[in-house]
Amino acid sequence: MLNKVSDSIYYLSNQDDKERPALGLVSGEEASLIIDCGNTPQHAKDFLAEIGRLDVPPVKYAVITHAHWDHFMGMNEFDATTVVNSRTDELMQKWQSLSYNDSSLQKCVDKKEMSPQCMEILQKEMPNRDSFKLNSPDVIFGNTVTIDLGNKKCVLEKIRSTHTDDSTIVYIPDDKVVFLGDCAYGKTTNGLFHIKQSLLEPMVQDIQKYDAEWFVLGHESICDSEEMDLYWKELTAASQAVESASLEEAEENFKAKNNRGPNENELFFIQAFVNDRIIQSQ
């Protein structure tokens, strides 16, 4: 079931147990646009079935927020113009050259080019894998592009991000809604979750320049501006406390700067920033 944000904007909720991110739908008077294409053809079909229950114009555009498999492996199911930034296009090319039979998927897992969970989900939800080839994007932009759906504009921008170097956000000015994809998250390297401090402030600046009241994240429920501001505040406070690869030192710095101990979220973020320092020193 689609969640309604406004008369012209909906999203399909994420499903963590199936590695399914949230997928967005924006409709104008002449066309509709989706944000991310799902992690498998089946995910895409489920999304299309939900869209079919609405009285909206046909889906003409599909925007991919970044080149992680769970956001684009369903793209072949959409009869739409696929739009990506130039870096996302580069990163997706390896997926376009892959074979998806069992032996090829296992080789990707063995080389750590794909997670075992990714392989299992593709095996379950991708029919005709022996002949499957991922389509190429149709429109490739540099830093920003605006798409007019007919009295409804969507602004796409490649922003700086703590998650990937190819993150695209989608802002709908009329509704003050922004789809963030996964850009506000950290990343995992060699099993260690971490957040890069130097990218935090630039990312927040890139997002906050838009006048948004609602934020749809790839693996969360929708957030209002108050909730998003709290998220940035906790992230920033955690980052400012980390000056070395020592968790104990960071916690003491936090207490000195804020006259209190970190809450559960802040402690999680502190560990992630410390982890990044550890990775950089390796």
Side-chain angles (χ1 to χ4, degrees), residues 16 21 23-24 41 47 50 53 75 79 118 122 135 161 169 175 179 198 238 251 273 279 281-282:
D16 290 341
L23 307 179
F47 188 32
E50 294 294 339
R53 295 185 173 95
M75 65 182 284
D79 183 18
C118 172
L122 293 180
N135 291 341
S161 166
I169 63 172
D175 303 85
F179 284 82
S198 62
E251 290 187 50
F273 288 120
I279 289 172
S281 66
Q282 292 175 344

Side-chain angles (χ1 to χ4, degrees), residues 8-9 26-29 31 33 145-156 170-177:
S8 59
I9 300 177
V26 184
S27 296
E29 294 179 356
L33 172 149
V145 66
T146 298
I147 298 175
D148 192 343
L149 304 175
N151 261 346
K152 184 68 60 177
K153 292 184 178 180
C154 298
V155 180
L156 284 57
V170 181
Y171 174 62
I172 305 95
D174 288 348
D175 303 85
K176 296 187 176 182
V177 175

Side-chain angles (χ1 to χ4, degrees), residues 56 100 136 150 202 221 245:
V56 297
Y100 290 87
S136 299
S221 58

Side-chain angles (χ1 to χ4, degrees), residues 14 16 21-22 66 68 70-71 160-164 167 180-188 193-196 199-200 203 207 215-223 228 231-232 235 268-269 272-273:
N14 62 298
D16 290 341
H66 63 293
H68 284 170
D70 53 325
H71 293 259
R160 295 165 289 186
S161 166
T162 53
H163 186 65
T164 68
S167 291
L180 296 178
D182 292 357
C183 74
Y185 304 140
K187 63 175 69 174
T188 301
F193 179 76
H194 60 108
I195 303 174
K196 195 169 187 64
L199 289 172
L200 177 59
M203 176 180 70
I207 295 171
F215 302 80
V216 183
L217 293 93
H219 297 274
E220 311 283 338
S221 58
I222 191 169
C223 296
M228 206 69 214
Y231 180 74
W232 299 136
L235 263 175
F268 175 79
F269 296 144
F273 288 120

Side-chain angles (χ1 to χ4, degrees), residues 79-137:
D79 183 18
T81 298
T82 307
V83 185
V84 302
N85 69 56
S86 56
R87 179 59 177 152
T88 298
D89 178 56
E90 291 175 8
L91 294 171
M92 285 179 61
Q93 288 174 15
K94 73 170 185 178
W95 294 85
Q96 293 157 20
S97 63
L98 283 181
S99 295
Y100 290 87
N101 55 55
D102 286 342
S103 61
S104 297
L105 291 178
Q106 186 61 56
K107 286 179 182 177
C108 290
V109 172
D110 293 341
K111 294 178 181 178
K112 299 189 184 301
E113 297 173 348
M114 179 184 295
S115 70
Q117 186 180 25
C118 172
M119 178 179 71
E120 291 170 8
I121 290 172
L122 293 180
Q123 287 173 326
K124 288 180 182 178
E125 297 194 356
M126 181 184 284
N128 306 315
R129 284 184 295 106
D130 288 349
S131 60
F132 181 87
K133 288 293 180 183
L134 186 69
N135 291 341
S136 299

